[in-house]
Amino acid sequence: MGGGELARDFLKADLVDELYIGVVPVLLGKGIPLFPAGFPQRNFSLIENNTYSKGMIALRYQRVRTKTKRTS
């Protein structure tokens, strides 16, 4: 849990394995960005989605890590 500023610090340190994102269909003016500027590129794959009453959607993503080859 936490906001985009906290998530950015963990993503920059490459410490995020999963993201849980809740989408609530309510317009709040300009709104708040889910992730502020300065996020590093990371690949995630959707592994679960659920819908709830009143239109809320819960999304769960898992980090996709590429395997690196070891050199001897």
Side-chain angles (χ1 to χ4, degrees):
M1 296 294 161
E5 299 288 335
L6 178 63
R8 178 178 53 202
D9 291 338
F10 281 98
L11 283 166
K12 281 184 177 180
D14 203 19
L15 298 173
V16 178
D17 293 322
E18 290 187 356
L19 292 173
Y20 294 87
I21 300 173
V23 179
V24 181
V26 176
L27 297 177
L28 300 171
K30 290 184 179 181
I32 299 170
L34 179 59
F35 299 109
F39 267 75
Q41 175 69 39
R42 301 286 188 248
N43 295 320
F44 288 85
S45 178
L46 180 66
I47 59 173
E48 184 179 351
N49 64 67
N50 294 303
T51 57
Y52 299 94
S53 63
K54 304 202 185 220
M56 186 189 149
I57 301 169
L59 305 169
R60 182 176 165 208
Y61 291 89
Q62 186 172 48
R63 176 72 190 275
V64 175
R65 297 183 184 269
T66 58
K67 294 182 181 181
T68 57
K69 294 181 181 182
R70 291 186 179 188
T71 57
S72 302

